[in-house]
Amino acid sequence: MQILERSGLGEETCLPPACHYIPPTSTMESARAEAEVVIFSAIDNLMKKTCLKPKDIDILIVNCSLCFPNPSLSAMVVNKYKLRSNIKSYNLSSMGCSAGLISIDLARDLLQVLPNSSSLVVSTKIITPNYYQGGAAILLSNRRKDNSRAKYRLMYVVRTHKGADDKAYRCVFEQEYPQGKVGINLSKDLMVIAGEAL
């Protein structure tokens, strides 16, 4: 209760239903329900703004750091929007905050070898199991017809992988605590390591 009182959450704050209880009721069913709301809302907004039709999507990349149901989140999107059977579909998980950048990098690499294609990238954090939140969808395309309506041009993607360094590898670490609860351990070295990577 003290954490909630000091968190800055107010009467206007919106949280998924699983977080309305003390202690929260974190189930796969509630996480999947939240994923559907967050992911489908982001995609629906993108489709409305871009007049994108599901049949126009050639590549689908969905990433979520800490929620990985089966069937996957990308399979959930394919099913909901009845995407083509020959879609290139990828589901990235357990990659932390860098998953969004990794997804953009993957989309760029695929668009370089698949001419006249479009890639839908969905990046999300599902709060129900781990208290993170948010979701976004972006369309990347190498189709000439999309040049005139593009907001941005992707020039470069630069990634630095620090996983070979033991301190970096363990700076954000999911683990089970003695009480049987699973949580994320953030090392005091996190900011230094993140600074080195940047």
Side-chain angles (χ1 to χ4, degrees):
M1 187 57 104
Q2 284 179 333
I3 292 171
L4 285 174
E5 289 172 353
R6 296 177 185 173
S7 69
L9 300 176
E11 294 299 318
E12 301 296 316
T13 303
C14 182
L15 295 171
C19 297
H20 293 188
Y21 304 96
I22 299 175
T25 56
S26 179
T27 65
M28 183 54 73
E29 182 182 351
S30 59
R32 185 179 292 279
E34 180 193 352
E36 289 175 356
V37 169
V38 171
I39 291 171
F40 296 162
S41 296
I43 293 172
D44 289 346
N45 288 339
L46 177 71
M47 288 183 162
K48 184 177 178 182
K49 287 178 184 175
T50 62
C51 299
L52 180 69
K53 294 178 178 53
K55 68 178 177 63
D56 295 331
I57 301 169
D58 302 294
I59 303 163
L60 171 66
I61 302 169
V62 179
N63 73 70
C64 184
S65 299
L66 295 168
C67 178
F68 21 89
N70 191 3
S72 67
L73 296 175
S74 60
M76 182 179 76
V77 172
V78 169
N79 180 263
K80 162 74 174 175
Y81 294 96
K82 305 303 180 203
L83 300 181
R84 299 186 337 237
S85 62
N86 66 342
I87 191 163
K88 309 277 186 271
S89 177
Y90 300 87
N91 195 82
L92 307 180
S93 60
S94 298
M95 295 182 161
C97 298
S98 64
L101 179 60
I102 292 167
S103 295
I104 296 294
D105 191 34
L106 175 59
R108 183 208 52 187
D109 290 348
L110 290 168
L111 288 170
Q112 287 179 347
V113 297
L114 298 170
N116 198 32
S117 297
S118 65
S119 176
L120 173 61
V121 177
V122 181
S123 185
T124 185
K125 303 264 187 187
I126 301 304
I127 189 173
T128 295
N130 300 291
Y131 303 108
Y132 295 102
Q133 61 183 338
I138 185 171
L139 178 68
L140 287 85
S141 177
N142 61 11
R143 293 182 176 144
R144 288 182 190 232
K145 70 176 187 166
D146 292 333
N147 275 348
S148 62
R149 65 186 187 137
K151 282 182 146 181
Y152 305 100
R153 180 184 197 122
L154 180 62
M155 301 296 290
Y156 305 101
V157 177
V158 179
R159 290 175 45 206
T160 303
H161 201 300
K162 303 282 289 175
D165 174 24
D166 289 340
K167 275 188 170 183
Y169 175 73
R170 295 194 61 87
C171 74
V172 179
F173 209 79
E174 185 176 19
Q175 65 186 48
E176 187 171 341
Y177 293 96
Q179 305 87 350
K181 302 256 184 203
V182 175
I184 304 295
N185 183 1
L186 301 177
S187 163
K188 63 183 179 187
D189 301 320
L190 175 60
M191 296 309 290
V192 172
I193 292 165
E196 289 172 0
L198 289 174

